[in-house]
Amino acid sequence: MRPHPDVAAALAQVIQTDEPTLLLGVTPELAEKCNNLLAVDRSPMMIAKLWPGNSQTRNVLQDDWLSMELAEHSFASAIGDGSFNSVSFPDGHVRLYQQLRKFVKLGGQLAFRVYLTPDVGETIAELVLLTTKAAECSFQVFKWRLMMAMVTESANANVQIHQVWLRFQALFPDRARVAQQTGWALHDIDSIDIYRGSTEVYNFPTKAQLLDVIPPDFEHMLKPIGTYELAERCPLLFIKLPRPN
């Protein structure tokens, strides 16, 4: 689920040349798009793994988006890939909008890729059936579809990552058989083990749920971009902050 070049280019359109931009996360495909960037991520592991390095035009700060303290209205724009899906719903969304209102200039721009559960979601049984034949999607996409199906099943937009691993273990105890039936490489299937023991919680709201928590004075638009796998569930959210009265 790395951002497709079309996605990265579309998110970068809100960046004003040489004006300060805030990146929520350390997505390298976005970091390279800006000439004046501060990236913020709470995970030292993600910074070590993904951050392309500090330079005269970009720096990284290890901090929590929901509690970070930065200079008020010091950024012309803010961007991110799946950032809102990495906090709790709805409380984390509400708090993150408060933070962005505080740190981005009045009239500034926000652009984020968001991951949404379909209004009529897939069932777990439907996903299990998919694994009995040649796969119609990559395993990485299957993992996201499984999380969304769990959200549909529970009627709760939030899903704990360790619970995803437990559910996968229960559904697919014979990974070699899954690999044989689907054509997925076993090492790809084993990548789900990174979820084991994780305390992270992701959220996959429906479109209506996502839009319902956006502040009413934020001018917003959801726009699908690209034809990559699962693109229809990963639109871009563009927001224009209100200007001063």
Side-chain angles (χ1 to χ4, degrees), residues 105-125:
K105 295 178 181 178
L106 298 174
Q109 306 251 7
L110 315 178
F112 293 87
R113 185 164 66 148
V114 293
Y115 309 140
L116 303 180
T117 294
D119 292 335
V120 180
E122 292 178 295
T123 67
I124 299 293

Side-chain angles (χ1 to χ4, degrees), residues 223-241:
K223 185 177 181 181
I225 294 289
T227 58
Y228 60 91
E229 284 188 291
L230 222 60
E232 71 281 1
R233 303 190 198 183
C234 307
L236 305 192
L237 174 63
F238 295 98
I239 291 177
K240 181 81 169 179
L241 296 188

Side-chain angles (χ1 to χ4, degrees), residues 17-241:
T17 304
D18 297 328
E19 289 292 313
T21 294
L22 175 64
L23 171 61
L24 299 185
V26 286
T27 309
E29 293 88 344
L30 300 182
E32 65 185 18
K33 297 290 185 181
C34 184
N35 295 327
N36 188 349
L37 179 79
L38 175 66
V40 180
D41 198 293
R42 68 180 180 181
S43 169
M45 180 187 71
M46 294 300 291
I47 294 173
K49 181 178 180 181
L50 295 178
W51 183 242
N54 290 342
S55 70
Q56 291 184 335
T57 60
R58 66 181 182 229
N59 287 280
V60 67
L61 171 68
Q62 183 187 336
D63 207 344
D64 189 316
W65 305 330
L66 303 186
S67 59
M68 62 186 179
E69 290 294 339
L70 305 171
E72 293 190 15
H73 304 307
S74 55
F75 298 94
S77 57
I79 59 176
D81 185 51
S83 309
F84 277 90
N85 298 91
S86 301
V87 298
S88 63
F89 181 88
D91 294 350
H93 284 228
V94 172
R95 177 58 180 159
L96 192 50
Y97 283 125
Q98 292 171 344
Q99 291 283 80
L100 292 170
R101 185 194 293 272
K102 181 178 179 181
F103 301 132
V104 178
K105 295 178 181 178
L106 298 174
Q109 306 251 7
L110 315 178
F112 293 87
R113 185 164 66 148
V114 293
Y115 309 140
L116 303 180
T117 294
D119 292 335
V120 180
E122 292 178 295
T123 67
I124 299 293
E126 288 171 334
L127 288 179
V128 171
L129 184 61
L130 286 180
T131 67
T132 64
K133 54 188 176 181
E136 65 179 44
C137 67
S138 69
F139 181 72
Q140 305 308 321
V141 165
F142 180 83
K143 287 192 299 187
W144 290 94
R145 290 170 66 173
L146 176 60
M147 285 187 265
M148 293 175 184
M150 291 175 65
V151 163
T152 297
E153 180 183 68
S154 68
N156 183 341
N158 301 292
V159 57
Q160 187 182 38
I161 298 308
H162 179 63
Q163 293 299 319
V164 177
W165 181 83
L166 288 175
R167 192 62 176 275
F168 184 85
Q169 287 290 96
L171 291 171
F172 308 107
D174 188 347
R175 296 186 183 183
R177 182 180 180 186
V178 172
Q180 182 180 33
Q181 292 176 154
T182 60
W184 290 326
L186 188 58
H187 67 82
D188 283 338
I189 298 174
D190 288 342
S191 69
I192 200 165
D193 290 334
I194 196 173
Y195 293 167
R196 183 178 185 179
S198 174
T199 59
E200 294 292 324
V201 175
Y202 292 165
N203 72 85
F204 299 93
T206 63
K207 177 181 177 181
Q209 288 174 322
L210 177 87
L211 297 180
D212 187 55
V213 297
I214 297 176
D217 59 339
F218 281 19
E219 182 182 336
H220 60 269
M221 175 182 66
L222 271 178
K223 185 177 181 181
I225 294 289
T227 58
Y228 60 91
E229 284 188 291
L230 222 60
E232 71 281 1
R233 303 190 198 183
C234 307
L236 305 192
L237 174 63
F238 295 98
I239 291 177
K240 181 81 169 179
L241 296 188

